[in-house]
Amino acid sequence: MKNNAAQSSEPKITDAPRAQKRSRPVQVADQIKHWVVERDLRKGDKLPNEAAMIAQFGVSKGTVREAMRILEAQGLIVTKTGPGGGSAVGEVSKERAISLLGNYFYFKNLSLSDIYQLRKLLEPELVANLAGTLDEETLTELRSMAHQHPEPAKTPEEEKQQHISSLVFHARLADAAENELMGFVISFMARILSDLTVYHRLYAAPNKELWERGRRHQIDLVDALEKGERSRARDIMMSHMEGAERMMNVQEMRITRQFMTE
Amino acid sequence: MKNNAAQSSEPKITDAPRAQKRSRPVQVADQIKHWVVERDLRKGDKLPNEAAMIAQFGVSKGTVREAMRILEAQGLIVTKTGPGGGSAVGEVSKERAISLLGNYFYFKNLSLSDIYQLRKLLEPELVANLAGTLDEETLTELRSMAHQHPEPAKTPEEEKQQHISSLVFHARLADAAENELMGFVISFMARILSDLTVYHRLYAAPNKELWERGRRHQIDLVDALEKGERSRARDIMMSHMEGAERMMNVQEMRITRQFMTE
DNA sequence: TAAGATTTGTTCGTATGTATC
DNA sequence: GGATACATACGAACAAATCTT
């Protein structure tokens, strides 16, 4: 189970010609990463302090600090001041991972149909896996979310709020996924859609029938999850996805985000 | 189509209590991101130089440099020295995005079955979308990949090489995807599996029958893609995925990677 | 509460490296 | 080659945060 430190043979799927000149801080950052992996350091484990690194690498304070910023920006370390402070290994948070990935897609032009194609593939499967596995606490939480909006929205503002709530509901389901990769992708999509509904006006005008159907879906879904009815849960989610997709008039979109920060 | 600059109301799916103290460099980095998005700057567009930023933000050189490192680490800018140099907006590369996301999953314990669950959902769909849309050049490339190993592997080393080649084949398909989100996820999985097959010995012992089936799958798949036979392409991929999953004895794994760097 | 110790955070001045003209 | 415009790196000093006593 231990990681054998990897040799020079770097495995690249896309054979990148990478051999550029790397600045001192980047080199130092890379060495620290290596150092961490070699020793199989874990979440709270501490790194040497600034002074030690300055001595270790024979560079100036500023260079070490820049290296630390690089690692920090990637979510790999956290740093505290004061006695007993210093830098320590820090698990990359889901939020940060979502942000960093969001930066990548900032430059792409994802369409809503792209996202819904994936949602239709993944989310029904997600709830099928989840059926019968959730604890009472999670079920209660989901139920309360499902009942959160007892009345149809009266204003566009309320409609928007309900739409966001629905995405939070889906994100909560994603968090419960056993398959963390699947959960992450679904969370990521929820986040993108959430941003879009805020910055654009991508939600429909208030509509009683839509509200009723969405609400029913959520309530029925929680019920199916509780009773462990896999295929019913899958069907409900599929139906919900199809409805949601229709609701959002299919239009090109840009991920308009201020480079998601954290 | 223009982005209206977003106000303070930050939309967070998971209502993070975020209100921590942010260090100067991070603040500066955030402001620069904001600045870039406000002006809707694009890939090559230049940022002010160090001196200008020092004046602009009223901070020292070191602080500005740390801020730039943060942005650089996230792939958002590139920096050159010399006259006409300075920092410029830089599209986040797919490689870098994969690395950054890899850091997140470094701390998770993905199982092979997690990955194959997703592969079975996504890759058949991918090739169904691709059928009939590929240009001759891409088809030729795929065909040559499919014929790359005319003989079954004689040694574990060859077997490993063939396995990696197969993943490159899948990554190439992913690159051709219209749906960039789907393509990215598939590429990411191929990358993870590729790393694993290199560092662990996760490939089966040389086996003529397996080799023959895998090869047939690839060749048939390219044929179906060329002829635009959507459902046949889907079926072939599905069958291939199931075979591949069986081949890898399902075992827990850790993403053992030196914090994928670029 | 206050003082002191420890460790990161920030600044400034200076010098060096690098690419363009 | 030399001048110019930039980033890169160093070192010393001081500021701020936080823990301990």
Side-chain angles (χ1 to χ4, degrees):
Chain A
M1 265 308 167
K2 272 297 182 227
N3 318 347
N4 298 335
Q7 328 304 52
S8 51
S9 76
E10 279 198 38
K12 298 284 182 220
I13 275 284
T14 58
D15 232 63
R18 253 268 316 312
Q20 307 178 28
K21 213 170 313 179
R22 297 165 89 85
S23 65
R24 221 78 177 80
V26 175
Q27 289 176 35
V28 172
D30 284 344
Q31 290 185 64
I32 295 174
K33 285 185 196 174
H34 229 90
W35 194 84
V36 167
V37 174
E38 259 174 23
R39 289 158 216 261
D40 196 32
L41 297 191
R42 293 291 145 170
K43 176 155 159 146
D45 297 341
K46 290 186 56 177
L47 272 51
N49 65 21
E50 262 186 20
M53 296 211 175
I54 291 169
Q56 172 72 29
F57 298 111
V59 296
S60 76
K61 184 181 169 103
T63 302
V64 167
R65 289 182 60 67
E66 287 180 40
M68 297 316 243
R69 292 307 187 187
I70 290 171
L71 299 176
E72 209 175 57
Q74 299 177 344
L76 298 174
I77 67 169
V78 292
T79 301
K80 281 190 328 188
T81 63
S87 299
V89 177
E91 197 165 2
V92 182
S93 75
K94 191 172 192 169
E95 267 307 303
R96 172 159 260 138
I98 287 177
S99 298
L100 292 171
L101 188 57
N103 289 340
Y104 171 68
F105 284 105
Y106 178 87
F107 297 99
K108 309 291 175 193
N109 270 13
L110 282 186
S111 70
L112 276 179
S113 49
D114 287 341
I115 291 188
Y116 273 93
Q117 182 183 24
L118 272 202
R119 292 193 85 187
K120 285 192 288 189
L121 288 171
L122 298 187
E123 304 212 21
E125 197 64 15
L126 168 71
V127 292
N129 292 158
L130 249 35
T133 73
L134 297 177
D135 56 33
E136 193 45 54
E137 186 184 356
T138 306
L139 285 167
T140 305
E141 189 183 347
L142 289 171
R143 230 185 322 261
S144 103
M145 284 181 175
H147 286 88
Q148 193 175 1
H149 298 289
E151 296 297 330
K154 294 184 183 58
T155 67
E157 184 54 36
E158 274 184 37
E159 177 75 20
K160 163 173 139 184
Q161 208 45 59
Q162 293 193 3
H163 191 166
I164 300 232
S165 294
S166 164
L167 288 167
V168 173
F169 181 84
H170 286 256
R172 184 66 192 81
L173 288 174
D175 286 339
E178 296 259 345
N179 186 335
E180 298 216 48
L181 180 51
M182 174 159 25
F184 177 83
V185 175
I186 294 174
S187 293
F188 180 68
M189 292 189 292
R191 169 66 179 269
I192 286 183
L193 291 174
S194 177
D195 282 10
L196 285 173
T197 54
V198 170
Y199 293 125
H200 294 334
R201 312 233 143 208
L202 212 53
Y203 40 90
N207 179 321
K208 187 167 188 322
E209 193 188 343
L210 279 173
W211 163 83
E212 177 55 29
R213 223 184 34 212
R215 180 181 153 90
R216 261 269 67 81
H217 273 142
Q218 289 195 358
I219 293 173
D220 290 349
L221 179 57
V222 177
D223 183 62
L225 288 175
E226 181 167 20
K227 294 182 179 154
E229 298 170 352
R230 288 174 57 93
S231 59
R232 182 170 154 240
R234 182 188 276 115
D235 290 346
I236 293 170
M237 181 59 95
M238 191 50 154
S239 160
H240 178 53
M241 283 293 114
E242 283 165 350
E245 184 179 24
R246 269 196 304 276
M247 191 173 100
M248 302 193 148
N249 35 349
V250 176
Q251 64 182 75
E252 286 308 303
M253 65 179 202
R254 283 246 342 272
I255 301 184
T256 75
R257 195 184 295 97
Q258 57 269 55
F259 285 163
M260 304 184 169
T261 138
E262 191 146 336
Chain B
M1 264 311 167
K2 271 297 181 227
N3 320 346
N4 297 336
Q7 326 308 51
S8 50
S9 76
E10 279 199 38
K12 298 283 182 220
I13 274 285
T14 58
D15 231 63
R18 253 269 316 310
Q20 308 178 27
K21 217 168 312 178
R22 298 165 88 85
S23 63
R24 256 11 211 113
V26 176
Q27 288 177 35
V28 172
D30 284 345
Q31 290 185 63
I32 295 175
K33 287 184 196 176
H34 229 92
W35 193 83
V36 168
V37 175
E38 259 174 24
R39 289 156 215 261
D40 196 31
L41 296 190
R42 293 296 150 161
K43 175 155 160 144
D45 296 341
K46 290 186 57 177
L47 271 50
N49 64 22
E50 260 186 21
M53 298 218 177
I54 291 168
Q56 171 72 30
F57 298 111
V59 296
S60 76
K61 188 158 35 187
T63 302
V64 168
R65 297 191 104 271
E66 288 180 37
M68 297 315 234
R69 291 307 187 187
I70 291 171
L71 299 175
E72 209 174 56
Q74 299 177 344
L76 297 174
I77 66 169
V78 292
T79 300
K80 282 191 325 188
T81 62
S87 299
V89 177
E91 196 165 1
V92 182
S93 75
K94 189 171 192 170
E95 267 308 302
R96 171 159 256 136
I98 287 178
S99 299
L100 293 172
L101 189 56
N103 289 340
Y104 172 69
F105 283 105
Y106 178 86
F107 297 99
K108 310 289 176 195
N109 271 16
L110 282 186
S111 70
L112 276 179
S113 47
D114 287 341
I115 292 189
Y116 272 93
Q117 183 183 22
L118 271 202
R119 292 193 86 186
K120 285 192 288 190
L121 288 171
L122 299 187
E123 304 212 21
E125 197 64 16
L126 167 71
V127 293
N129 291 159
L130 249 35
T133 72
L134 298 177
D135 56 34
E136 193 45 55
E137 187 185 355
T138 305
L139 285 168
T140 305
E141 190 183 346
L142 289 171
R143 231 185 322 261
S144 101
M145 284 180 174
H147 287 87
Q148 193 176 1
H149 298 289
E151 296 297 329
K154 292 185 185 58
T155 67
E157 184 53 36
E158 274 184 37
E159 177 76 19
K160 163 173 140 183
Q161 207 45 59
Q162 293 193 4
H163 191 166
I164 299 232
S165 293
S166 164
L167 289 168
V168 172
F169 180 84
H170 287 256
R172 184 65 193 81
L173 289 174
D175 285 339
E178 296 261 345
N179 185 336
E180 297 217 47
L181 180 51
M182 174 151 61
F184 177 84
V185 175
I186 294 173
S187 293
F188 181 68
M189 293 190 291
R191 170 66 180 270
I192 286 183
L193 291 174
S194 177
D195 282 11
L196 284 172
T197 52
V198 169
Y199 293 126
H200 294 333
R201 312 230 142 212
L202 211 54
Y203 40 89
N207 179 320
K208 186 168 187 323
E209 193 188 343
L210 279 173
W211 162 82
E212 177 56 28
R213 223 184 34 213
R215 179 182 154 89
R216 261 269 67 80
H217 273 141
Q218 289 195 0
I219 294 174
D220 289 350
L221 180 57
V222 176
D223 182 62
L225 289 175
E226 180 167 21
K227 293 180 180 155
E229 298 170 352
R230 287 174 56 93
S231 59
R232 180 168 155 243
R234 182 189 276 115
D235 291 345
I236 293 171
M237 181 59 95
M238 191 50 154
S239 160
H240 178 52
M241 284 292 115
E242 285 164 349
E245 183 178 24
R246 269 196 304 276
M247 190 173 101
M248 302 194 148
N249 33 350
V250 176
Q251 64 183 73
E252 286 308 303
M253 65 180 200
R254 285 243 343 271
I255 301 183
T256 73
R257 196 182 296 96
Q258 57 271 55
F259 286 163
M260 305 182 167
T261 135
E262 192 146 335

